[in-house]
């Protein structure tokens, strides 16, 4: 899915007459890929973070030359490693971020809210998907820096984004070879990515 998101956005940008300048009343599209560091926070002990691949595609509208709402689709490989068992929980999560973008020069500050859909959750060969809620909510915040404008006027950027879990992910008490959480756990994911943006 990650490769298809990137290819789709790049195809759209290549097929239209693009302009890198942020203009009031114009639509834009962007895509990015990179790596994320995720873990669980809340009522849990001995949880260590792990790295995973992340990808995003989004479409937005420039309400003014400095403000634009956007709607995206983010796929992240998240999870956590437990010192108690020495095992790793691997999760595939699909998020739909609704973001407010505030741009000043080459820098954009982003904040919003998103539902997170857990597609899979496995530890070794054991499926723990049924112990998690289908949907949870998190708050994405990001700092975006547009560092390069190519010959077609399209923008390349670096983005640092953090997903803060707002609601409980687990359905109840969870057990795994001696690991147990008596309360609630939330996801936490920090991502560094490189991306491409064009006006439509």
């Amino acid at each position: 899915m990650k490769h298809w998101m990137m290819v789709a956005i790049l195809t759209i940008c290549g097929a239209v007459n693009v302009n890198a300048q942020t203009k009031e009343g114009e639509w834009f599209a962007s895509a990015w890929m990179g790596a994320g560091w995720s873990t669980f926070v809340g009522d849990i002990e001995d949880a260590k973070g792990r790295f995973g691949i992340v990808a995003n595609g989004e479409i937005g509208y420039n309400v003014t030359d400095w403000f634009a709402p956007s709607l995206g689709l983010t796929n992240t490989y998240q999870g956590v490693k437990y010192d108690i068992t020495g095992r790793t929980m691997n999760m595939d999560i699909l998020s739909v971020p609704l973001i407010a973008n505030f741009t000043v020069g080459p820098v954009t500050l982003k904040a919003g809210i998103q539902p997170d859909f857990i597609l899979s959750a496995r530890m070794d060969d054991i499926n723990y998907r049924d112990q998690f809620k289908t949907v949870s909510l998190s708050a994405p915040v990001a700092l975006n820096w547009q560092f390069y404008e190519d010959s077609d006027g399209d923008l390349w950027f670096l983005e640092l984004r953090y997903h803060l879990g707002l609601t409980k992910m687990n359905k109840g008490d969870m057990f795994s070879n001696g690991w147990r959480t008596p309360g609630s756990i939330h996801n936490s994911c920090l991502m560094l990515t490189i991306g491409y943006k064009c006006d439509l």
Side-chain angles (χ1 to χ4, degrees):
M1 177 169 14
K2 297 178 174 63
H3 300 295
W4 285 108
M5 272 195 286
M6 181 69 77
V7 170
I9 298 298
L10 293 177
T11 300
I12 292 172
C13 289
V16 299
N17 183 21
V18 295
N19 189 328
Q21 302 301 315
T22 300
K23 292 183 179 180
E24 180 177 339
E26 290 192 354
W27 292 84
F28 65 87
S30 68
W32 47 251
M33 292 188 72
W37 175 260
S38 65
T39 189
F40 291 157
V41 296
D43 300 320
I44 190 169
E45 296 180 354
D46 299 309
K48 304 297 182 182
R50 67 174 291 260
F51 282 106
I53 298 172
V54 300
N56 180 80
E58 67 178 1
I59 293 179
Y61 180 75
N62 296 312
V63 177
T64 69
D65 59 1
W66 59 270
F67 171 71
S70 64
L71 181 65
L73 191 63
T74 304
N75 192 202
T76 57
Y77 284 123
Q78 299 185 29
V80 65
K81 183 175 181 179
Y82 303 104
D83 280 352
I84 294 176
T85 64
R87 302 166 70 198
T88 300
M89 175 74 73
N90 297 299
M91 305 179 71
D92 187 4
I93 298 178
L94 185 67
S95 305
V96 184
L98 177 60
I99 302 290
N101 301 267
F102 303 92
T103 301
V104 179
V107 177
T108 299
L109 178 64
K110 304 182 175 187
I113 193 166
Q114 66 185 28
D116 301 314
F117 301 89
I118 299 177
L119 304 181
S120 67
R122 303 190 67 86
M123 187 180 293
D124 295 334
D125 293 328
I126 303 174
N127 187 352
Y128 288 88
R129 173 64 191 81
D130 62 347
Q131 297 189 34
F132 289 93
K133 293 183 176 181
T134 302
V135 184
S136 60
L137 288 177
S138 62
V141 292
L143 186 63
N144 179 295
W145 174 51
Q146 300 168 0
F147 67 89
Y148 179 71
E149 181 178 340
D150 66 21
S151 58
D152 292 325
D154 304 330
L155 296 172
W156 290 86
F157 60 83
L158 290 173
E159 182 167 302
L160 184 66
R161 181 178 293 207
Y162 178 62
H163 289 179
L164 173 64
L166 299 177
T167 61
K168 179 179 176 179
M169 296 177 67
N170 54 312
K171 290 181 178 178
D173 294 351
M174 298 173 62
F175 297 84
S176 171
N177 289 354
W179 166 64
R180 175 177 183 269
T181 176
S184 62
I185 58 175
H186 303 252
N187 72 324
S188 175
C189 186
L190 180 66
M191 298 167 283
L192 180 62
T193 59
I194 184 169
Y196 179 87
K197 178 182 178 182
C198 67
D199 288 343
L200 301 180

